[in-house]
């Protein structure tokens, strides 16, 4: 039983490693161009006495933030099972001084800090979930000053920025023009399929005018482009039987193999030119024994592209390949019923891009520059995909420190000037929400 459990965890983590770890799958990026007026605005804001006081509060809380990181990381939170971490995170935001805190019907933790103008709202987000199954050992281990644990960087460290910034704003008596929602979202990873942020932007709740997500490494990263993806689980089914006695039945495994071959051949040709587009059969399964004709054979597929049209085209190639394989193997059968196939979409992340001259993007890049970095405009698959696809100003920024092995059992995080990322995030948030006078 222990061996089976360990293998299950390792497999889940392995396949999750191709997920949306911002620091791993994000493009190298291109240097952003900052308009001088935004550099001046951020430099002046950073010299404000209240902002300087908040910076000092953040610097003084390194030990507390480290302790909170360890505590929160040791509460498992795979997609669809974030409840315990959500409850603790809600308590942290309430303790930090939010005006009100609640958990919505999909599980997002939301804390409101009121501004002077309730007609405008800025969302400030980090996701609650990690890629790891509930049974994964998430206890933090130490090697010198480095913390080792699944999820320690992605994205438990990101979560820590929210209460830290909220406490600093309270201590420094910073008031903003806009309302700010501090949000711990559910379902960002894997088959969570951005369900938390999708719910927030479904038009039923509070209108969010701009969005800042924390889900990356360096202060230099300014993610303004959403990498779109479709994911499918495709299952061929047949009667199954003995490999000798029932020989001649249509075989789901054979059909699956043909579908993969037809798809990879056609998709390879299509993706050699045009916008960058990828495809991957990440998992396959089915069958009961070596001497049995399978009654079921399945695969899970991930497809991504910079542009929706290209993603839709490779999607069409997949479906045509599956139909070709189905028809071919049903024509080959010598007896018994025909194969059937189910095509189920298990992931849909929209793509999109925002112009570099948007005020939020300019401010974010100016903050990065203020902290001595060269801002890099990047594309990734994060919570910001949703507002970006709707044309709402949004960025994903770094959580700071040094980290590695995201989405693996030996993930690590080291507090190398980690306070700077918190200060940078606070400066970005106040610049976007507006400092009340």
């Amino acid at each position: 039983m222990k061996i089976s459990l360990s293998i299950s965890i390792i497999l889940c983590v392995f396949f999750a490693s191709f997920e949306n770890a911002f620091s791993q799958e994000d493009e190298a990026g291109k240097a952003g161009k900052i308009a001088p007026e935004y550099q001046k605005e951020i430099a002046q804001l950073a010299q404000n006495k209240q902002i300087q006081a908040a910076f000092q509060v953040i610097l003084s809380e390194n030990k507390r933030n480290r302790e909170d990181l360890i505590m929160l990381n040791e509460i498992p939170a795979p997609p669809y099972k974030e409840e315990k971490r959500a409850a603790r995170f809600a308590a942290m935001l309430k303790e930090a001084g939010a005006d009100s805190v609640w958990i919505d019907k999909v599980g997002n933790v939301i804390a409101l800090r009121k501004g002077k103008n309730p007609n405008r709202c800025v969302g400030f987000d980090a996701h609650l979930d990690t890629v790891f199954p509930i049974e994964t050992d998430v206890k933090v281990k130490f090697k010198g000053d480095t913390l080792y644990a699944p999820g320690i960087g992605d994205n438990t460290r990101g979560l820590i920025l929210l209460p830290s910034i909220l406490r600093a704003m309270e201590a420094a008596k910073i008031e903003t023009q806009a309302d700010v929602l501090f949000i711990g979202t559910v379902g960002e990873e894997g088959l969570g399929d951005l369900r938390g942020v999708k719910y927030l932007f479904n038009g039923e709740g509070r209108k969010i005018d701009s969005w800042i997500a924390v889900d990356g490494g360096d202060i230099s990263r300014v993610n303004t482009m959403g990498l779109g993806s479709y994911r499918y689980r495709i299952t061929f089914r047949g009667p199954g039987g003995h490999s000798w006695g029932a020989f001649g039945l249509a075989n789901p495994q054979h059909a699956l193999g043909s579908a993969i071959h037809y798809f990879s051949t056609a998709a390879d040709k299509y993706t050699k030119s045009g916008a960058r587009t990828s495809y991957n059969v990440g998992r396959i399964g089915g069958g009961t024994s070596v001497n049995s004709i399978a009654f079921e054979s399945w695969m899970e597929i991930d497809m991504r592209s910079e542009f929706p049209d290209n993603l839709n085209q490779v999607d069409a190639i997949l479906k045509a390949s599956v139909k070709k394989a189905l028809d071919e193997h049903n024509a080959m059968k010598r007896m018994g019923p025909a194969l059937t196939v189910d095509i189920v979409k298990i992931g849909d992340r929209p793509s999109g891009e925002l112009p570099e001259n948007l005020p939020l993007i300019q401010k974010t890049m100016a903050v990065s520059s203020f902290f001595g970095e060269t801002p890099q405009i990047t594309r990734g698959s994060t919570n910001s995909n949703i507002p970006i696809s709707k044309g709402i100003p949004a960025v994903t920024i770094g959580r700071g420190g040094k980290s590695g092995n995201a989405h693996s059992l030996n993930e690590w995080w080291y507090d190398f000037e980690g306070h700077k990322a918190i200060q940078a995030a606070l400066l970005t948030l106040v610049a976007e929400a507006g400092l009340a006078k």
Side-chain angles (χ1 to χ4, degrees), residues 253-291:
Q253 301 277 48
H254 297 180
L256 183 77
S258 293
I260 293 172
H261 169 71
Y262 295 142
F263 173 58
S264 60
T265 301
D268 174 69
K269 182 178 180 180
Y270 175 72
T271 57
K272 282 181 177 177
S273 60
R276 185 180 175 189
T277 305
S278 70
Y279 57 94
N280 178 63
V281 178
R283 298 210 301 158
I284 59 175
T288 55
S289 70
V290 68
N291 59 335

Side-chain angles (χ1 to χ4, degrees), residues 81-391:
K81 295 181 180 180
E82 303 100 335
E83 295 90 346
K84 289 183 179 180
R85 181 176 284 193
R88 185 66 189 91
F89 190 63
M92 292 170 69
L93 292 175
K94 184 65 176 176
E95 182 185 354
D99 292 311
S100 58
V101 181
W102 66 97
I103 297 177
D104 67 21
K105 71 178 186 180
V106 299
N108 295 316
V109 177
I110 305 175
L112 169 65
R113 191 173 193 270
K114 295 179 180 178
K116 300 296 184 182
N117 178 11
N119 294 320
R120 186 164 181 271
C121 178
V122 177
F124 185 55
D125 153 73
H127 65 85
L128 289 161
D129 59 321
T130 72
V131 302
F132 302 96
I134 194 71
E135 63 270 17
T136 306
D137 180 4
V138 291
K139 186 172 179 58
V140 178
K141 299 173 178 63
F142 308 90
K143 292 183 181 178
D145 291 334
T146 303
L147 309 182
Y148 285 82
I152 193 73
D154 186 10
N155 192 33
T156 314
R157 164 64 185 181
L159 287 171
I160 295 304
L161 271 66
L162 276 64
S164 179
I165 289 171
L166 185 50
R167 287 193 299 269
M169 293 175 72
E170 287 291 304
K173 301 186 185 308
I174 293 173
E175 297 294 335
T176 57
Q177 291 290 348
D179 284 353
V180 176
L181 295 178
F182 291 81
I183 308 170
T185 44
V186 295
E188 194 272 349
E189 299 284 11
L191 297 183
D193 198 35
L194 307 184
R195 67 188 182 95
V197 71
K198 284 179 178 178
Y199 178 76
L200 292 170
F201 284 95
N202 68 3
E204 296 179 6
R206 176 76 186 269
K207 181 177 180 290
I208 298 173
D209 298 288
S210 57
W211 181 264
I212 302 168
V214 182
D215 190 9
D218 298 334
I219 298 174
S220 64
R221 291 183 182 272
V222 182
N223 194 85
T224 66
M225 300 178 284
L227 179 62
S229 67
Y230 292 157
R231 290 166 182 173
Y232 286 96
R233 184 180 175 99
I234 294 176
T235 307
F236 287 89
R237 292 188 174 90
H242 196 280
S243 61
W244 174 258
F247 181 72
L249 291 175
N251 191 316
Q253 301 277 48
H254 297 180
L256 183 77
S258 293
I260 293 172
H261 169 71
Y262 295 142
F263 173 58
S264 60
T265 301
D268 174 69
K269 182 178 180 180
Y270 175 72
T271 57
K272 282 181 177 177
S273 60
R276 185 180 175 189
T277 305
S278 70
Y279 57 94
N280 178 63
V281 178
R283 298 210 301 158
I284 59 175
T288 55
S289 70
V290 68
N291 59 335
S292 298
I293 299 169
F295 62 87
E296 178 180 281
S297 186
W298 57 267
M299 60 178 169
E300 289 180 352
I301 302 164
D302 170 277
M303 302 175 292
R304 305 182 185 218
S305 184
E306 296 174 344
F307 297 112
D309 288 348
N310 295 69
L311 187 57
N312 288 333
Q313 184 59 42
V314 79
D315 179 271
I317 290 171
L318 171 67
K319 290 172 181 174
S321 300
V322 169
K323 184 178 187 304
K324 181 178 180 180
L326 179 71
D327 292 345
E328 179 180 83
H329 284 270
N330 278 335
M332 289 168 57
K333 72 180 179 67
R334 302 176 187 180
M335 64 179 185
L339 296 176
T340 61
V341 67
D342 290 330
I343 302 176
V344 179
K345 183 177 279 189
I346 57 176
D348 187 346
R349 298 183 179 218
S351 58
E353 296 184 7
L354 295 173
E356 195 173 308
N357 63 358
L358 275 181
L360 171 58
I361 295 173
Q362 286 287 309
K363 292 172 186 177
T364 307
M365 290 195 297
V367 169
S368 176
S369 178
F370 177 81
F371 278 87
E373 302 289 340
T374 300
Q376 300 291 310
I377 297 294
T378 63
R379 183 188 304 275
S381 181
T382 72
N383 271 339
S384 291
N385 277 41
I386 301 303
I388 287 172
S389 72
K390 295 176 179 291

